[in-house]
């Protein structure tokens, strides 16, 4: 398609629109080519702030593309913050403070915009640097131990190929978990443990069982991004309780509990995601007292405990599973691919959770559960976890030093684990936010998780959750230096 030389009327609208050079056989889609072309025009100030864009139909006719292609292109440019949409008036250029060096990055295999459920943050197959992901490089885990466990699991007896497996989960794994929890945290019977398809499945079952649309659910703010989306999906009202380096704002929690009468609260006692901090024993005791006073359940997200120093507070241990529901997972010490989580709860609650599990999926994979059992009972497992913790400690120190070197400030000093959260009190550019910078990072082949994913409140500063395995990578640090210079 030829590229016209017409100009844009910068005050009212397009006198005539220069057709975008589109290559039908280009490896990038039509939408990606249109977004890249307009981004470059904005960054080079060929299109100035306030310029009215052609209507969807005008642009489609001029460029020989469908109106659906134009709508998607404009929507992505709105997400990037380059255009704004005014109902009944059309689309306008919204900003020009985007340097051409950022907009003209080499195309990557990542999407053009990111949100908390972007598949590339979870798939592990993207070519982008997974700085914002929640999983570690395979070589950080005990690959040989895990692969051997999977091979052992595949030797399932022929008679176990009948039926769906036990609805509570593989009995031998539950018995082992009960014994381990009894030795390390609190006494529990195997029948009080329900296996799930990861921790997120556990959260879903708990919400389905204990809440109905319109109920209030307390969460940490900032907190686990997928959980916030899941609560909204169930029609519940998420109320955030601020959490910082010193723990939860328990005075505000008491006020909110009195006002909203919550059904339950989700809390990361140990190595909270995204801050990496842990509650003190005193805070844990007061939290239990507030749950008793205002009659709500506490769901303890305990998936990072094996990566934490021994002796950290445990709500489940303090409460004895009377008012606390403990959620566990093996994704952080083995591999997220195995997708095995657990719920430990009172004997009276487990049958209700089991019924919902069966209604929504019958059972979970016995093959996966057998693989986990073989892995955690293998002789090298404890040594493998100790090595992982050592690697995380070293990676965390490198990450914190590197982020400070490029001008970022830590939100909190983590007590362990795989995340460091850091950012800027003053935005590199007044019009920018974390989501906008994360979208720019995608153009540079970097997956970031911005503060917007983790917060219910409007963030007071721009920050990101960094995976310590990737946070000192030169590709990331060069990008952050480029951002800081704007």
């Amino acid at each position: 398609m030829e590229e016209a030389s017409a100009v844009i009327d910068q005050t009212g609208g397009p006198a005539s629109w220069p057709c975008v050079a589109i290559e039908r056989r280009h490896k990038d889609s039509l939408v990606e080519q249109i977004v890249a072309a307009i981004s470059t025009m904005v960054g080079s100030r060929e299109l100035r702030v306030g310029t009215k864009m052609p209507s969807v139909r005008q642009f489609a006719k001029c460029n020989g593309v469908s109106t659906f292609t134009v709508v998607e292109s404009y929507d992505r440019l709105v997400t990037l913050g380059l255009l704004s949409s005014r109902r009944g008036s059309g689309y306008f250029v919204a900003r020009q403070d985007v340097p051409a060096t950022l907009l003209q990055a080499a195309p990557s295999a990542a999407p053009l915009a990111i949100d908390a459920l972007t598949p590339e943050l979870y798939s592990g197959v993207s070519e982008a640097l997974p700085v914002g992901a929640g999983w570690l490089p395979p070589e950080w885990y005990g690959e040989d131990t895990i692969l051997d466990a999977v091979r052992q699991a595949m030797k399932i007896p022929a008679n176990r190929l009948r039926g769906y497996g036990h609805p509570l989960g593989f009995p031998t794994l539950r018995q082992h978990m009960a014994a381990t929890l009894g030795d390390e945290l609190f006494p529990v019977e195997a029948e009080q443990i329900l296996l799930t398809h990861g921790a997120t499945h556990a959260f879903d079952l708990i919400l389905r069982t204990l809440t109905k649309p319109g109920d209030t659910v307390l969460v940490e703010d900032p907190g686990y991004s997928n959980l916030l989306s899941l609560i909204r999906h169930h029609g519940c009202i998420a109320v955030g309780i601020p959490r910082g380096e010193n723990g939860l704002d328990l005075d505000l929690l008491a006020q909110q509990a009195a006002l909203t009468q919550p059904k339950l609260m989700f809390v990361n006692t140990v190595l909270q995601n995204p801050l990496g901090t842990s509650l003190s024993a005193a805070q844990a005791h007061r939290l239990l007292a507030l749950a008793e006073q205002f009659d709500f359940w506490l769901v303890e997200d305990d998936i990072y405990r094996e990566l934490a120093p021994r002796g950290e507070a445990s709500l489940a241990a303090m409460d004895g599973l009377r008012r606390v529901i403990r959620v566990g997972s093996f994704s952080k010490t083995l591999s997220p691919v195995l997708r095995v989580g657990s719920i430990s709860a009172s004997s009276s609650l487990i049958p209700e959770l089991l019924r919902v599990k069966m209604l929504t999926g019958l059972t979970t994979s016995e093959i996966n559960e057998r693989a986990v059992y073989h892995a955690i009972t293998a002789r090298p497992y404890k040594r493998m976890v100790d090595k992982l913790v050592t690697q995380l400690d070293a990676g965390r120190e490198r990450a914190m030093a590197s982020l400070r070197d490029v001008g970022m400030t830590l939100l909190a000093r983590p007590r362990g684990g795989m995340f460091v959260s850091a950012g800027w009190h003053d935005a590199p550019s007044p019009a920018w936010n974390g989501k906008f910078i994360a979208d720019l990072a995608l153009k540079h082949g970097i997956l970031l998780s911005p503060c917007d994913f983790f917060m219910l409140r409007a963030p007071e500063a721009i920050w990101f959750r960094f995976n310590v395995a990737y946070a000192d990578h030169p590709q990331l640090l060069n990008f952050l230096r480029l951002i800081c210079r704007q």
Side-chain angles (χ1 to χ4, degrees):
M1 181 175 292
E2 293 185 1
E3 192 171 0
S5 58
V7 296
I8 304 295
D9 177 354
Q10 302 291 353
T11 55
S16 58
W17 177 257
C19 296
V20 175
I22 295 176
E23 298 179 30
R24 301 286 173 176
R25 297 182 180 179
H26 196 279
K27 65 178 181 179
D28 292 336
S29 69
L30 296 178
V31 170
E32 289 169 336
Q33 292 182 65
I34 292 170
V35 170
I38 294 177
S39 296
T40 300
M41 295 171 76
V42 172
S44 65
R45 287 167 171 70
E46 186 178 346
L47 292 176
R48 298 176 186 171
V49 173
T51 299
K52 183 175 181 180
M53 300 296 292
S55 72
V56 169
R57 290 187 180 277
Q58 285 175 319
F59 192 101
K61 183 177 180 180
C62 176
N63 288 279
V65 296
S66 74
T67 55
F68 298 106
T69 297
V70 182
V71 168
E72 185 177 351
S73 301
Y74 278 7
D75 284 347
R76 290 195 185 185
L77 288 160
V78 169
T79 301
L80 284 168
L82 301 182
L83 300 184
S84 62
S85 174
R86 304 177 196 170
R87 185 179 294 274
S89 299
Y91 293 85
F92 296 81
V93 177
R95 59 165 21 113
Q96 277 191 302
D97 56 346
V98 186
T101 50
L102 288 174
L103 287 172
Q104 294 173 347
S108 75
L112 289 175
I114 192 170
D115 62 36
L117 293 175
T118 296
E120 282 74 10
L121 283 170
Y122 304 94
S123 67
V125 298
S126 172
E127 294 179 8
L129 186 69
V131 182
W135 40 267
L136 298 170
E139 60 270 19
W140 283 42
Y141 301 108
E143 291 177 279
D144 291 341
T145 300
I146 296 169
L147 290 173
D148 183 63
V150 171
R151 284 190 289 267
Q152 291 293 323
M154 294 303 295
K155 297 176 182 178
I156 185 170
N159 65 346
R160 294 301 304 140
L161 297 177
R162 295 176 298 181
Y164 293 88
H166 198 294
L168 282 172
F170 183 43
T172 310
L173 175 57
R174 290 188 290 108
Q175 290 161 8
H176 178 80
M177 290 176 62
T180 302
L181 287 170
D183 290 340
E184 298 180 358
L185 287 175
F186 54 90
V188 61
E189 299 296 327
E191 289 70 27
Q192 291 178 265
I193 298 174
L194 173 69
L195 300 185
T196 63
H197 191 66
T200 302
H201 182 209
F203 299 149
D204 183 55
L205 293 179
I206 291 166
L207 286 166
R208 288 176 184 271
T209 303
L210 297 178
T211 67
K212 62 182 184 302
D215 284 345
T216 296
V217 175
L218 302 182
V219 295
E220 300 173 301
D221 194 6
Y224 177 44
S225 57
N226 279 17
L227 176 61
L228 303 181
S229 301
L230 188 61
I231 291 169
R232 296 188 187 103
H233 179 75
H234 282 284
C236 296
I237 302 167
V239 173
I241 306 300
R243 179 157 179 175
E245 184 154 24
N246 297 319
L248 285 163
D249 186 338
L250 293 175
D251 291 334
L252 180 61
L253 192 157
Q255 295 172 19
Q256 289 293 341
L259 286 171
T260 63
Q261 298 180 315
K263 283 294 180 72
L264 50 86
M265 178 177 184
F266 290 89
V267 60
N268 250 163
T269 314
V270 173
L271 304 186
Q272 194 252 10
N273 178 9
L275 299 179
T277 59
S278 299
L279 294 185
S280 67
Q283 279 220 327
H285 278 294
R286 189 179 174 202
L287 181 56
L288 282 168
L290 289 172
E292 186 73 29
Q293 178 182 351
F294 294 104
D295 191 26
F296 59 87
W297 293 94
L298 283 171
V299 182
E300 183 174 34
D301 178 358
D302 212 21
I303 70 173
Y304 300 101
R305 184 166 295 274
E306 284 192 274
L307 304 179
R310 291 191 175 276
E312 297 281 21
S314 164
L315 294 171
M318 294 175 179
D319 176 72
L321 299 182
R322 190 175 59 87
R323 188 174 290 277
V324 173
I325 305 165
R326 180 187 184 269
V327 172
S329 171
F330 296 97
S331 65
K332 305 307 177 185
T333 55
L334 288 175
S335 169
V337 170
L338 291 176
R339 308 305 303 137
V340 176
S342 65
I343 299 174
S344 301
S346 66
S347 299
S348 60
L349 185 56
I350 284 292
E352 298 178 52
L353 292 164
L354 176 61
R355 180 174 180 275
V356 174
K357 176 184 175 180
M358 295 187 70
L359 284 171
T360 56
L362 290 182
T363 62
T364 40
S365 169
E366 185 173 316
I367 295 289
N368 287 4
E369 292 161 2
R370 282 175 174 269
V372 166
Y373 172 74
H374 286 298
I376 65 176
T377 56
R379 185 173 298 177
Y381 179 70
K382 289 293 185 184
R383 186 167 64 250
M384 184 181 79
V385 173
D386 290 342
K387 180 181 177 182
L388 177 60
V389 169
T390 300
Q391 287 178 291
L392 287 170
D393 289 345
R396 199 166 50 254
E397 291 300 324
R398 290 194 303 270
M400 290 189 291
S402 297
L403 294 171
R404 289 192 190 102
D405 286 346
V406 295
M408 303 190 87
T409 301
L410 300 180
L411 267 68
R413 185 173 182 87
R415 289 181 60 84
M418 56 195 296
F419 301 124
V420 172
S421 291
W424 305 280
H425 291 298
D426 297 317
S429 175
W432 291 9
N433 58 31
K435 176 69 165 55
F436 177 70
I437 294 173
D439 288 339
L440 287 178
L442 281 178
K443 296 178 70 66
H444 290 254
I446 301 168
L447 284 165
L448 289 179
S449 290
C451 50
D452 315 61
F453 292 178
F454 305 97
M455 300 196 70
L456 291 175
R457 298 167 289 163
E460 297 176 359
I462 294 177
W463 57 270
F464 302 87
R465 186 195 72 181
F466 296 96
N467 184 316
V468 303
Y470 306 97
D472 64 338
H473 196 286
Q475 182 181 354
L476 169 69
L477 300 179
N478 289 337
F479 172 78
L480 294 175
R481 289 189 187 98
L482 188 60
I483 290 291
C484 288
R485 286 201 295 268
Q486 305 313 315

